[in-house]
Amino acid sequence: AILWEPLWTGNVLGKEGVKIFLEESKSIPLKVYATASSGVPGAPADLLTPGEEFTIRDLEEMLEWEEVVGLGEVVEFQGVLNGDPEVHRKLEAARKSRKRIDGSACEMEGNDLNSYLAAGVQSDHEATTLEEAIERIRLGARLIIREGSGMRDMANLIGVITEVGLNSRHCCFCVDDKNIGEIEDEGLIDYMVKRAIDAGMDPVEAIQIGSLNAAEYMRVDQDIGSVAPGKKADILMLDDLDNFSISKVLVDGKVVAENGKLIVDMPGPDYPEGMRNSINLKRKLTPEDFVFRSDKEGRTEVRVIKVMEGKIISEKEVESLRVEKGAIQLDPGRDILKVTVVERYGKTAPNIGKGFVEGFGLKRGALAMSITPDVHHLIAIGREEENLSKAVNRLADIQGGIVLCEEGEIVDELSLSIGGIMSGSSYEGVITKLEELRPHVRDLGCKLSSPFMTLAFVGCPTLTSFKISDKGLVDVPNEEIIPYEVG
């Protein structure tokens, strides 16, 4: 069984898209539970152009769906703290339906964290330090320990159990966002169970965190989460408890996987045309769209988004760059790139948010993607205006995915034509293509272990502390758009 936070799907395909996927899940050997995503959109309209919007009535309807176990992560944390009536109506709707309320308390502590939890939030998966983990448990929140791509937090957090000795019954595991190739290589919750055992945790305790704890938190433990009379016979058969080596998987008492292979047939997907045609740029982009203008002479100070290995949060720095003929120039020897976010839903001319980013190491070419949690506009980084424009235009042509451009030519791409965030191909095919893309990105100079996930979250204006949207650079804590030039 899985708990799906349909935040990405809701933002690009709306309530009907979420419903279609939940209906499809009934035909596969996997129990899919979901939340009613509170963050559609996840930020105010003055910070970004939304794709879809869930009204209070939409959320009330979704909270009544059989598969929905709670309100999705409350990313509008400023709305909670500032008493925004619309945000608090969402929390009240979840309370009335007696459903869980998931949190997203990135870098939150002290009075702010107390206020956030007092509003009704019951869990958090954004803790990255041991101190944050301890504070959340002691304040009564469920600590959701995360281990995903670009967000490797488990090593820092597992000590809350193995070292500090707090009760593991207050913890669950999650992956949040994880690359499909890493899922194949490592696994999902099973990988986290293995990591917990390797960290010295009793195997039964680690399995409990990954099963019963989660089922109880979701309030579905009457059906799943343990092997007991009257429960669904969803069972993992292990060869080795200490290594958590799985030999067979049973769902509803039937063997569905053996020795790592699915042994039952599943129907192919069949999606409406609208789900495959969701990117609508009002016009083709030109190299001029990626020139960063300045009224300064000689040099100018600019705000720069700094990304870090293994993190999805980012910081703000100020750097000095040359200005020639009214355009800001990049220095070839410095790791500072242009970053842009282009509005994809055809609601603007389009908007093109502009900024600078440090930490990717790209020495040439451009990388563009249609993945920017949670609204998923088109994001691109690079040095040359021609490469940037061609990469973004190609993204629109293939209806989303990942595109690499070098010397004015498209050198590689991955199509994600379902909502611009998913592929209709087999997962094996997607993994193969990602494995082909990674060496190309490294050849262009990027050494990050998860370059695609890291870039995606540069365009997520709900995570601290400095991001970018289609409307410009976002000062996340203060919820305001700021120019890329200082002064």
Side-chain angles (χ1 to χ4, degrees), residues 167-368:
N167 194 331
S168 66
R169 294 288 279 148
H170 299 291
C171 302
C172 298
F173 292 142
C174 85
V175 296
D176 204 6
D177 301 291
K178 193 165 187 179
N179 180 288
I180 185 65
E182 293 175 15
I183 293 174
E184 184 184 53
D185 291 342
E186 298 175 347
L188 292 165
I189 302 300
D190 56 322
Y191 172 71
M192 299 187 71
V193 170
K194 293 175 186 177
R195 288 285 310 276
I197 295 170
D198 290 344
M201 189 178 295
D202 179 88
V204 174
E205 186 178 22
I207 292 168
Q208 183 181 65
I209 296 173
S211 54
L212 182 60
N213 287 12
E216 289 179 343
Y217 174 70
M218 293 160 52
R219 293 176 175 149
V220 295
D221 54 301
Q222 72 276 12
D223 292 323
I224 63 171
S226 60
V227 180
K231 303 294 177 72
K232 303 287 186 181
D234 294 356
I235 302 170
L236 301 181
M237 307 295 289
L238 305 180
D239 286 332
D240 182 344
L241 181 62
D242 290 334
N243 293 315
F244 200 64
S245 177
I246 301 169
S247 59
K248 291 182 182 180
V249 179
L250 281 73
V251 175
D252 293 328
K254 298 178 181 178
V255 178
V256 298
E258 197 165 4
N259 298 319
K261 298 294 183 182
L262 191 70
I263 61 172
V264 296
D265 294 328
M266 292 200 299
D270 182 20
Y271 302 123
E273 183 61 29
M275 294 179 69
R276 298 180 180 272
N277 191 29
S278 64
I279 295 178
N280 179 26
L281 296 188
K282 282 289 184 70
R283 62 174 175 84
K284 289 285 187 181
L285 302 181
T286 68
E288 177 64 25
D289 290 315
F290 298 89
V291 174
F292 288 28
R293 294 295 174 188
S294 173
D295 294 330
K296 307 287 180 63
E297 295 183 0
R299 300 193 72 83
T300 184
E301 287 191 328
V302 299
R303 297 177 173 90
V304 180
I305 300 170
K306 182 181 179 180
V307 301
M308 296 161 280
E309 174 65 51
K311 300 292 183 183
I312 59 174
I313 58 176
S314 54
E315 299 175 350
K316 178 173 65 176
E317 294 192 340
V318 174
E319 300 285 351
S320 176
L321 293 175
R322 290 180 298 113
V323 178
E324 294 181 3
K325 297 179 180 180
I328 299 175
Q329 306 295 314
L330 299 180
D331 293 336
R334 297 170 68 189
D335 180 19
I336 297 177
L337 306 172
K338 292 181 176 181
V339 57
T340 62
V341 172
V342 181
E343 188 270 312
R344 60 168 274 186
Y345 296 103
K347 297 183 177 183
T348 65
N351 287 343
I352 303 176
K354 296 179 179 180
F356 298 93
V357 66
E358 175 188 352
F360 282 94
L362 217 63
K363 293 180 170 55
R364 62 188 187 280
L367 166 62

Side-chain angles (χ1 to χ4, degrees), residues 155-167:
N156 293 334
L157 303 184
I158 199 66
V160 77
I161 302 165
T162 59
E163 298 170 21
V164 181
L166 296 188
N167 194 331

Side-chain angles (χ1 to χ4, degrees), residues 106-167:
C106 186
E107 294 192 331
M108 205 177 286
E109 61 182 3
N111 289 339
D112 283 350
L113 181 59
N114 275 270
S115 299
Y116 186 70
L117 298 175
V121 174
Q122 297 168 296
S123 68
D124 182 45
H125 64 278
E126 298 286 359
T128 61
T129 68
L130 185 60
E131 293 74 19
E132 288 178 336
I134 294 170
E135 185 177 20
R136 279 145 180 77
I137 292 177
R138 287 181 172 167
L139 291 177
R142 189 68 58 106
L143 174 68
I144 313 295
I145 298 173
R146 176 176 60 187
E147 185 79 356
S149 300
M151 51 198 86
R152 298 283 180 170
D153 300 320
M154 190 169 183
N156 293 334
L157 303 184
I158 199 66
V160 77
I161 302 165
T162 59
E163 298 170 21
V164 181
L166 296 188
N167 194 331

